Amino acid sequence: MSEMIEEMKSKAVIYYGDEIGQEKGRLLLTEVGLPNGLLPLKDIEECGHVKETGFVWLKQKKKTEHKFETIGKWVSYASEVTAFVEKNRIKKLTGVKAKELLIWVGLNEIYVDDPPTGKITFKSVAGISKSFPVSAFEVEDVIKKVKE
């Protein structure tokens, strides 16, 4: 990890463990106006957020792939995912790739329209963008159900 990231981490709120990592990841996505199922990571070891800059990172034990069934798209998540979050947007995203035809394309930005149109847009490193229904990335909040 770079020195800049290490410096940011010193100003962060950090959580360790999968259960709290899952909960805090979904909560953060919801707080910034993004669908809570956007980052379906597994075996989270660490997640952190620097509120003043919006920098966030999630570390999982190993790279994972996930298929968003309703749109038939595969997404690959590296063992470490980093980004800057702000209202309705993720910028400077690293560690996430989407499968398009037969190749994996790195994503670097995700945003929902404001005012809401029900669409979420993904931009690749090459500047190509594609939109899908927001509902394809929402999951029922299991943690909330357990607490009720």
Side-chain angles (χ1 to χ4, degrees):
M1 211 181 271
S2 76
E3 282 185 43
M4 183 181 87
I5 292 173
E6 288 299 328
E7 184 180 326
M8 282 188 205
K9 284 178 73 171
S10 70
K11 300 174 184 174
V13 176
I14 304 173
Y15 301 95
Y16 299 95
D18 186 55
E19 187 175 340
I20 191 78
Q22 297 286 346
E23 180 182 348
K24 294 299 181 181
R26 282 197 289 275
L27 181 62
L28 176 64
L29 288 168
T30 303
E31 284 176 356
V32 298
L34 294 168
N36 65 352
L38 199 55
L39 299 171
L41 305 180
K42 296 180 178 141
D43 297 324
I44 295 175
E45 296 180 314
E46 177 182 306
C47 80
H49 181 220
V50 181
K51 197 162 187 138
E52 64 189 41
T53 63
F55 181 70
V56 64
W57 75 92
L58 297 115
K59 285 184 182 180
Q60 55 185 351
K61 287 184 181 177
K62 62 182 182 175
K63 170 186 160 182
T64 60
E65 292 179 4
H66 177 81
K67 185 175 185 181
F68 289 95
E69 294 292 339
T70 57
I71 58 170
K73 292 289 182 184
W74 281 96
V75 179
S76 170
Y77 299 90
S79 60
E80 185 170 27
V81 174
T82 66
F84 287 86
V85 295
E86 57 187 54
K87 186 179 184 327
N88 298 327
R89 184 175 301 269
I90 294 175
K91 296 166 99 176
K92 298 182 182 177
L93 179 64
T94 67
V96 180
K97 295 179 180 180
K99 194 166 194 177
E100 198 58 45
L101 298 174
L102 299 173
I103 59 169
W104 289 98
V105 179
L107 300 176
N108 69 341
E109 189 172 353
I110 302 170
Y111 60 90
V112 294
D113 295 330
D114 191 16
T117 61
K119 297 284 185 185
I120 185 166
T121 302
F122 298 82
K123 286 180 81 175
S124 74
V125 178
I128 300 167
S129 62
K130 201 161 195 177
S131 296
F132 298 98
V134 169
S135 60
F137 303 93
E138 292 174 334
V139 293
E140 189 173 326
D141 199 348
V142 177
I143 293 169
K144 189 183 283 185
K145 285 185 90 174
V146 171
K147 290 182 179 178
E148 293 179 343

